Amino acid sequence: MGTVVERELELRLVLSPGRSVAVPARLGYRTDDPYAVHLAFHVDSESPVHWTFARELLVEGVFRPCGQGDVRVWPSRSRGRGVVLLGLSSPDGDALLEAPAAQVSAWLERTLRVVPPGTEGGQPGLDDALARLLAR
């Protein structure tokens, strides 16, 4: 078992423009699965919802819209603060989640220190993203 980097945070599930509800969530990263990030929400319920997608997608999504298909990520502003929006699509339906950008960035920075970009198997492009994250 490798190192685990986790972060509890509160997401907002966007129900309609101007209307959202708080959703407790946990971001997880494991060094034995270095390309992936794990997102669990409704973590206090009987059946939490789990999503797994590429770490690179979340790193890039902090800065610019990216992703296609089931997971899309893009930066935005909400109530005067930076947020990262996650658009999730599954056969059960679609969800739009809003995460605090500062908390997501700080957690991503920790994962990038544990497994530096390029050392997880030679993915190009993460070095630049890390440099931008750390330059903030």
Side-chain angles (χ1 to χ4, degrees):
M1 171 84 178
T3 303
V4 176
V5 181
E6 286 189 332
R7 169 100 198 214
E8 304 279 335
L9 72 165
E10 185 176 276
L11 301 179
R12 308 283 314 169
L13 175 62
V14 179
L15 303 173
S16 62
R19 188 159 166 258
S20 63
V21 294
V23 178
R26 181 183 306 113
L27 280 167
Y29 179 78
R30 299 192 310 264
T31 55
D32 58 2
D33 188 9
Y35 291 104
V37 293
H38 304 273
L39 172 64
F41 47 98
H42 300 295
V43 288
D44 301 331
S45 74
E46 295 273 324
S47 53
V49 177
H50 295 275
W51 280 79
T52 300
F53 51 92
R55 174 173 74 165
E56 189 172 19
L57 185 66
L58 194 54
V59 169
E60 191 173 327
V62 169
F63 302 103
R64 63 181 162 269
C66 65
Q68 54 190 354
D70 296 346
V71 180
R72 294 178 329 284
V73 186
W74 66 99
S76 188
R77 294 197 70 71
S78 176
R79 297 179 295 283
R81 64 191 179 111
V83 296
V84 178
L85 292 171
L86 295 158
L88 306 175
S89 298
S90 78
D92 299 326
D94 298 338
L96 179 60
L97 295 160
E98 184 182 283
Q103 290 179 25
V104 171
S105 294
W107 175 80
L108 276 171
E109 196 176 299
R110 286 173 49 211
T111 76
L112 292 165
R113 283 204 186 103
V114 172
V115 178
T119 63
E120 72 284 79
Q123 279 285 16
L126 276 174
D127 288 326
D128 299 336
L130 175 63
R132 288 196 307 272
L133 245 149
L134 297 177
R136 288 187 150 189

